[in-house]
Amino acid sequence: MAKVRASYVCNSCGYQSAKPLGRCPNCQAWNSFEEEAPALTTKGRGGAYGGITGGKLTALSTVGRREEPRTSSGIAELDRVLGGGLVAGGVTLIGGEPGIGKSTLLLQVADRVATAGGPVLYVAGEESLEQIRLRADRLGVTAEIQLTRDTRAEHVAALMAEHKPALCIVDSIQTVTVEGEGAPGGVAQVRDGTAMLTRAAKETGTATVLVGHVTKDGTVAGPKVMEHIVDTTVFLETVGAFRLLRSVKNRFGQAGELGVFEMRGEGLIAVENPSAAFLAERPVGVAGSVVAATVDGQRPMLLEVQALASKTPYPNARRVVVGLDPRRVDVVLAVLERRLDLTLGGLDVYVNLAGGLKVPDPGLDLAVALAVYSAVVGRALPGNVAVFGEVGLAGEVRSTQAALRRAEEARRAGYTRLVVPPGLDGQAGVKSVEEAVGAVWTPSGAR
């Protein structure tokens, strides 16, 4: 006899429970549980699996090799994040805060792909066709894009099978409905809609992009299984005056890639040289300012680490850190006091990573040390110096990941003196914080 198991799922994070709960223990959302269709567990007379025989097996050595064909999105920064472009039959999920520019970016992509000759299907679940036309006029979209307001997953899959578009954009997956699954946006709707569209994309070879809403925690709203179903997951976030597109999952490329955009009246414009953009407003010849070479994801960039030290009016000195790991900064300050005899007890110390980025990179330790030292002694670093390296508790300077890429980015930007750990390109480097201080303010210390 079949056993019926009741199941309740949180429509915010996908947490499952055998009974409805007032508050989700996973995401802390209130009144978010919905009942799912009961699962049936059948035990037949032919054994534990009802006499069902297994499917066909295929040896790995007999499976052919095939490179998935890619289509350029027409935007170099997006192609970089995706690993080279849109993959035929691949499904990409893009998330981000409301109004951050997801629909704007995808309409620009639709224009580029359609202009290159590939038919594009745009499923508008949140806006009217007239609203999309207004945005298209503002962005200067001239290509012919096929639009539909029909968000039923079965009908969208049928349109993909009939027209075989090169690109299908679904804005958004939370508006897609599956017959007999409840209200749009529910856990079952989002999960089954994603699975149905993914299956259609694989069968038709259509590159598909799904727009996903995000929760207050910044994660994509809906069941976590949705992110497992798709091939690529990217997030668009705001950092100062820029938009960062970051990949967190990519079956066809390297995860962790970063793309930088700037929002303008004509849409999202790719920033081809992020290092120059983040250093554009850096003050020259000011104590406490250091150019640091870092790696965010897989991308090397030059950023400015700032430090300020002032006499404290409080019994306990303040330590304020923005954009960096406060615990690592505390370690660096302790090393400066112990190894360089730098007195910080009566000083408020402020450390900032300029530009609004948050980078938990140990390779910024040496830049923090030099910035704080510069701010305390009142000596500015030379304008052609770039720094990176991890600082240990003994004051030693340790190597970092992607050191060669950091150095190449610094040299490309015109920084001829690098204060770096030993072993880079066969150079001596600096072995301690004391050596780093000497290398910065001594002409013979150029690396």
Side-chain angles (χ1 to χ4, degrees), residues 93-164:
L93 176 66
I94 177 170
E97 295 290 335
I100 200 171
K102 302 184 296 295
S103 300
T104 296
L105 176 63
L106 293 180
L107 193 55
Q108 292 177 258
V109 172
D111 180 45
R112 305 291 202 283
V113 174
T115 300
V120 176
L121 171 63
Y122 194 107
V123 181
E126 298 182 347
E127 298 176 297
S128 67
L129 302 186
E130 290 76 15
Q131 288 175 313
I132 295 177
R133 176 60 188 269
L134 288 175
R135 181 187 292 116
D137 292 341
R138 176 172 59 85
L139 299 177
V141 173
T142 57
E144 196 65 51
I145 301 172
Q146 302 300 320
L147 308 175
T148 180
R149 286 274 298 158
D150 192 344
T151 57
R152 290 170 290 184
E154 299 89 347
H155 292 203
V156 174
L159 288 173
M160 294 169 65
E162 179 181 355
H163 298 282
K164 300 288 193 304

Side-chain angles (χ1 to χ4, degrees), residues 57 117 131 248 354 365:
L57 297 177
Q131 288 175 313
V248 296
D365 289 352

Side-chain angles (χ1 to χ4, degrees), residues 169-372:
I169 298 172
V170 180
D171 189 7
S172 65
I173 187 60
Q174 276 77 17
T175 64
V176 171
T177 61
V178 178
E179 186 176 358
E181 295 288 353
V187 173
Q189 288 277 10
V190 173
R191 180 195 61 210
D192 295 345
T194 302
M196 186 175 295
L197 295 179
T198 300
R199 185 166 58 251
K202 303 299 182 187
E203 293 173 353
T204 61
T206 301
T208 304
V209 181
L210 310 178
V211 177
H213 297 169
V214 295
T215 64
K216 62 181 180 181
D217 299 325
T219 58
V220 177
K224 198 67 177 178
V225 69
M226 177 175 60
E227 297 184 44
H228 292 281
I229 294 173
V230 300
D231 299 306
T232 306
T233 303
V234 299
F235 283 92
L236 192 62
E237 57 191 65
T238 301
V239 174
F242 302 99
R243 303 287 195 271
L244 301 186
L245 186 67
R246 193 188 308 273
S247 66
V248 296
K249 172 191 175 181
N250 194 348
R251 287 176 179 157
F252 306 114
Q254 196 163 18
E257 286 288 356
L258 180 71
V260 184
F261 298 86
E262 184 178 2
M263 178 63 82
R264 300 179 185 173
E266 59 271 27
L268 283 174
I269 305 302
V271 177
E272 298 181 359
N273 189 352
S275 297
F278 284 114
L279 295 178
E281 300 180 6
R282 176 182 177 247
V284 179
V286 177
S289 175
V290 176
V291 175
T294 185
V295 175
D296 192 338
Q298 303 296 328
R299 185 168 201 163
M301 290 189 298
L302 299 182
L303 301 174
E304 180 191 3
V305 176
Q306 298 176 328
L308 177 65
S310 62
K311 291 186 64 175
T312 179
Y314 307 105
N316 296 320
R318 302 178 64 190
R319 302 289 185 259
V320 179
V321 180
V322 179
L324 298 164
D325 186 349
R327 292 170 296 182
R328 297 204 67 88
V329 173
D330 286 340
V331 169
V332 172
L333 297 182
V335 170
L336 290 176
E337 286 193 294
R338 181 68 174 174
R339 306 298 175 186
L340 271 69
D341 295 326
L342 194 66
T343 303
L344 301 175
L347 299 175
D348 288 335
V349 178
Y350 304 86
V351 180
N352 174 46
L353 188 61
L357 280 172
K358 293 183 180 180
V359 183
D361 179 16
L364 295 175
D365 289 352
L366 187 58
V368 171
L370 293 177
V372 172

Side-chain angles (χ1 to χ4, degrees), residues 381-404:
L381 276 76
N384 62 342
V385 172
V387 177
F388 65 86
E390 181 181 352
V391 175
L393 293 179
E396 77 278 15
V397 177
R398 297 171 173 266
S399 60
T400 62
Q401 64 167 342
L404 186 58

